[in-house]
Amino acid sequence: MGKGYNAAIASNPYIVGSFACIGGGLFGLDISSMSGVLSNDAYKNTFGNPGSNAQGAIVAAMPAGSFVGSLAVSWLADRIGRKKVVIISGWIWVLGSILQCAAVDRGMLVVGRIISGIAVGLASAIVPLYQSEITAPAIRGRLVSMQQWSITWGILLQYFVEFGCSYINGDASFRIPWGLQMIPAIILSLGMMVFPESPRWLMDHDRDAEALEILADLHGKGDHTNELVQLEYAEIKGQVQFERTEGAKSYLDLLKPGIVRRVGLGASLQMWSQLSGMNIMMYYIIYVFQGAGLTGRRGNLIADSVQYVLNVVFTIPAIIYIDRWGRRPMLLIGTFLMGFWLMLVGGLQGGFGEWGTVDGSAVWVITGHDSVTKGVIVCSYLFVCSFAITMGPVSWTYPAEIFPMRVRAKAVSVATATNWLFNFALAWAVPPGLANIGYKTYFIFGAFNFAAFVHILFCFPETAGRTLEEIEEVFAQGHIFSAWKIDRHVGEKTLEQVKRELKSDDAADSRDEHYEEKA
C-alpha cells in the first residue's frame, strides 16, 4: 500500500505549507465577487436594485454560512482528519459558485452565498490548523500567514476579472466572474489528494508509524533519525499521552483553567481583526470612495484596484519576517496605525463633507475639495497597508498555534467562528451605517482599534519560534494581564531536554503502576 501522498512534495516545506492556502483565497474571491458588482447596473437590475439594508443582507449571507462551516470543523477535523476537510471545502465552494452564477433572484443568490460561505468557514478554520501542525516551528508563522496572502490574491485576481467583465453588457458582466471562481476550488480539492495528513492527528488516532513517516518526509528528507524529526515526534508523542489523561475531548475542555484564557485570546483576536474596519475597505470600498468625492464608475474601479494591489504587496514583508519580528510587536503597531488612519478619514470626512445624493441614494460626500478627496484616498491606502503588514497575517497565525492538541480543532473553530460572526454583523451593518451616520462610522472603527491595542498590550504573550508543544510553557508562566513580562525564549528546548523529560515521565508512570499493583 502506498503512502497516500507524494513524498517529494512533502519534502518541500513551502509547497506543503502553502498549497492549502488556496482555501483562504476562496474568501478573497468572495469579497471581490461582491465589491466589484456594487456599481454594476446589470447586477442591480437583475436583483431588484437592492437598497443599503438588502445589499448588506446579500453580502452577509456568505459570513453567515461561514459561521456554520467554521463550527462544523471542530467535529469534522477530529473525526475524519485535516486533509479531508480541506478537500470537502473545495467541492462545497463549487456547488455554491454554480448557484450564484445561475441565480435569477435574491433568494437563489443568498442560498448560493450561504453554501459558498460554509466552504469558506471550513477552509478558513482548517487551513491554518493544518499548516500549523505540519510545518516546522522556524517557519510556521511564515507559512500560516500565507493564508492571509492568499486572501489578498483572491481579492485582487477576482477584482480584475470583475473589472474586465464590467465592459461586457448584460448579465454576463457578473455571471462570468461568479462562474470562474470555482476553478481554484477544483484545483484545491484535486491537489490536496497528493499531500500528507497532519502527523499530530495521526498520532492522536494511534497511527504512530504513519506519523513518523510523514514527519521524516516533511522535516528530514525521509530520514527517521533526523534531530528535528525526533524532536517533533517525541514532543507530539509526549503531548498526546499527557492530554489523554486529561479527560474526554469536548467543548467543556475549552472552559478548563489555562484553556479558557487561550480561547478568549484566539476569539478576541479574530474579533479585533473584523472590528479593525478592514471590511469597510474591502467589501464597501466603492462606497468609501464615493463618500470621498471620487465620481465615475471606471475611476472608482481603478482606485479600488490600487488598494487591492497594495494589500497583496504589503502582506509579503509580514510573511517573510513574522517569525523574526514576533506576533506582539506586529499587532501593537498595526492596531495603533489603523486607528490613526481611520480617525483621519473620519476627521476629513466630517470637516469637509455634507449630505448629498449619489446614484439616487443619500451619501455623506465631500464635494469641491479635491485635495481632501485625495487625502481620504491616501489615508485609506495607508490603512490597508497597515493591516496587510500586521494584523492580517497574525490574526490567522496566532489562534492556530496557542492551543493544546486535545482542544486545538474545537478551539480554532470557535476562534474562526467569532471572526465570521462579526464579519456577518459588520457586512450587514456597514451600508446602513454609512447611509445614516456617515463619517462617524470611521470614528467607531478607529476607537475599536485603540481598544484592541490596549487589550493586546496587556494580555497577549509572544509565541514566535516555539513548537506547538513548547507554547504550553509560555502560558504556564501566568501573567494574564502583564503579558510583556513573559520572556520570548521561554519554552525553547533541545532534543536532549525533551528526551530527559520523557524518560522522567516514563519512570514516574512505572512507579505509579508498581504501587497500584502492590495495593
Side-chain angles (χ1 to χ4, degrees), residues 92-336:
I92 295 175
W93 174 268
V94 170
L95 175 60
S97 297
I98 291 171
L99 288 174
Q100 289 180 72
C101 183
V104 294
D105 55 32
R106 292 184 196 174
M108 188 172 178
L109 176 59
V110 166
V111 170
R113 287 183 58 74
I114 289 174
I115 292 174
S116 291
I118 292 172
V120 172
L122 290 171
S124 63
I126 198 63
V127 170
L129 180 64
Y130 175 78
Q131 290 173 308
S132 67
E133 292 186 350
I134 210 162
T135 54
I139 60 171
R140 185 180 65 245
R142 184 179 304 168
L143 291 178
V144 176
S145 66
M146 289 185 74
Q147 163 88 344
Q148 177 63 23
W149 200 40
S150 69
I151 293 173
T152 67
W153 271 109
I155 295 170
L156 180 66
L157 294 175
Q158 180 73 347
Y159 193 83
F160 280 125
V161 172
E162 295 269 4
F163 183 82
C165 290
S166 70
Y167 290 90
I168 301 173
N169 293 320
D171 291 1
S173 62
F174 64 86
R175 294 195 190 279
I176 290 174
W178 290 357
L180 290 176
Q181 65 184 1
M182 69 179 72
I183 295 174
I186 295 172
I187 295 172
L188 173 68
S189 293
L190 294 177
M192 280 300 297
M193 296 175 70
V194 298
F195 283 79
E197 179 56 87
S198 161
R200 286 172 171 81
W201 181 83
L202 289 170
M203 206 171 293
D204 197 38
H205 287 73
D206 298 316
R207 294 162 65 177
D208 294 12
E210 292 176 65
L212 180 59
E213 184 78 19
I214 289 174
L215 285 170
D217 287 331
L218 287 171
H219 308 314
K221 297 182 179 179
D223 180 10
H224 292 208
T225 63
N226 178 276
E227 183 173 358
L228 177 58
V229 171
Q230 288 295 312
L231 173 62
E232 288 263 353
Y233 182 81
E235 285 195 327
I236 296 169
K237 184 72 174 176
Q239 191 68 21
V240 168
Q241 289 175 347
F242 171 76
E243 287 167 357
R244 284 179 175 174
T245 67
E246 296 293 299
K249 301 175 190 175
S250 73
Y251 275 104
L252 293 178
D253 287 340
L254 302 183
L255 302 178
K256 288 184 176 180
I259 303 300
V260 68
R261 172 192 177 190
R262 286 182 257 186
V263 172
L265 293 178
S268 61
L269 184 58
Q270 290 282 20
M271 175 191 74
W272 290 130
S273 74
Q274 290 300 315
L275 294 178
S276 68
M278 188 62 170
N279 265 329
I280 299 179
M281 301 301 179
M282 293 292 109
Y283 276 128
Y284 301 118
I285 188 60
I286 286 179
Y287 295 161
V288 174
F289 285 171
Q290 280 179 350
L294 185 64
T295 58
R297 184 180 172 204
R298 296 286 183 257
N300 209 318
L301 287 171
I302 293 170
D304 299 350
S305 66
V306 171
Q307 175 157 286
Y308 294 143
V309 170
L310 291 173
N311 195 21
V312 171
V313 171
F314 277 84
T315 304
I316 297 173
I319 294 172
I320 297 172
Y321 296 111
I322 186 172
D323 291 305
R324 184 182 304 176
W325 291 344
R327 288 31 161 178
R328 268 177 62 85
M330 293 174 71
L331 289 172
L332 291 171
I333 293 170
T335 50
F336 180 83

Side-chain angles (χ1 to χ4, degrees), residues 210-495:
E210 292 176 65
L212 180 59
E213 184 78 19
I214 289 174
L215 285 170
D217 287 331
L218 287 171
H219 308 314
K221 297 182 179 179
D223 180 10
H224 292 208
T225 63
N226 178 276
E227 183 173 358
L228 177 58
V229 171
Q230 288 295 312
L231 173 62
E232 288 263 353
Y233 182 81
E235 285 195 327
I236 296 169
K237 184 72 174 176
Q239 191 68 21
V240 168
Q241 289 175 347
F242 171 76
E243 287 167 357
R244 284 179 175 174
T245 67
E246 296 293 299
K249 301 175 190 175
S250 73
Y251 275 104
L252 293 178
D253 287 340
L254 302 183
L255 302 178
K256 288 184 176 180
I259 303 300
V260 68
R261 172 192 177 190
R262 286 182 257 186
V263 172
L265 293 178
S268 61
L269 184 58
Q270 290 282 20
M271 175 191 74
W272 290 130
S273 74
Q274 290 300 315
L275 294 178
S276 68
M278 188 62 170
N279 265 329
I280 299 179
M281 301 301 179
M282 293 292 109
Y283 276 128
Y284 301 118
I285 188 60
I286 286 179
Y287 295 161
V288 174
F289 285 171
Q290 280 179 350
L294 185 64
T295 58
R297 184 180 172 204
R298 296 286 183 257
N300 209 318
L301 287 171
I302 293 170
D304 299 350
S305 66
V306 171
Q307 175 157 286
Y308 294 143
V309 170
L310 291 173
N311 195 21
V312 171
V313 171
F314 277 84
T315 304
I316 297 173
I319 294 172
I320 297 172
Y321 296 111
I322 186 172
D323 291 305
R324 184 182 304 176
W325 291 344
R327 288 31 161 178
R328 268 177 62 85
M330 293 174 71
L331 289 172
L332 291 171
I333 293 170
T335 50
F336 180 83
L337 287 177
M338 287 187 291
F340 177 73
W341 300 127
L342 286 175
M343 290 296 184
L344 270 182
V345 170
L348 290 172
Q349 287 265 20
F352 296 92
E354 60 185 2
W355 286 108
T357 302
V358 177
D359 295 334
S361 301
V363 176
W364 183 274
V365 62
I366 297 171
T367 55
H369 298 282
D370 187 56
S371 60
V372 177
T373 294
K374 292 177 180 176
V376 170
I377 294 172
V378 169
C379 286
S380 300
Y381 289 162
L382 290 172
F383 169 86
V384 170
C385 293
S386 300
F387 180 91
I389 203 170
T390 58
M391 173 67 84
V394 180
S395 66
W396 294 108
T397 303
Y398 198 87
E401 65 187 3
I402 60 175
F403 301 111
M405 178 70 197
R406 71 179 182 278
V407 298
R408 188 171 296 141
K410 289 180 174 61
V412 169
S413 78
V414 168
T416 309
T418 303
N419 176 298
W420 294 116
L421 181 63
F422 279 87
N423 190 313
F424 168 77
L426 295 176
W428 200 328
V430 166
L434 290 172
N436 288 284
I437 62 174
Y439 69 92
K440 297 175 184 176
T441 306
Y442 301 103
F443 290 141
I444 293 172
F445 285 100
F448 283 143
N449 278 292
F450 291 133
F453 176 89
V454 174
H455 186 201
I456 292 162
L457 176 66
F458 284 96
C459 299
F460 283 67
E462 184 57 71
T463 56
R466 282 92 161 191
T467 67
L468 298 183
E469 287 66 39
E470 289 168 352
I471 288 174
E472 294 300 302
E473 301 267 344
V474 173
F475 286 95
Q477 301 298 306
H479 298 296
I480 296 175
F481 299 110
S482 54
W484 66 84
K485 293 183 179 180
I486 301 176
D487 187 83
R488 181 163 178 168
H489 299 289
V490 166
E492 293 180 358
K493 298 176 184 177
T494 64
L495 176 60

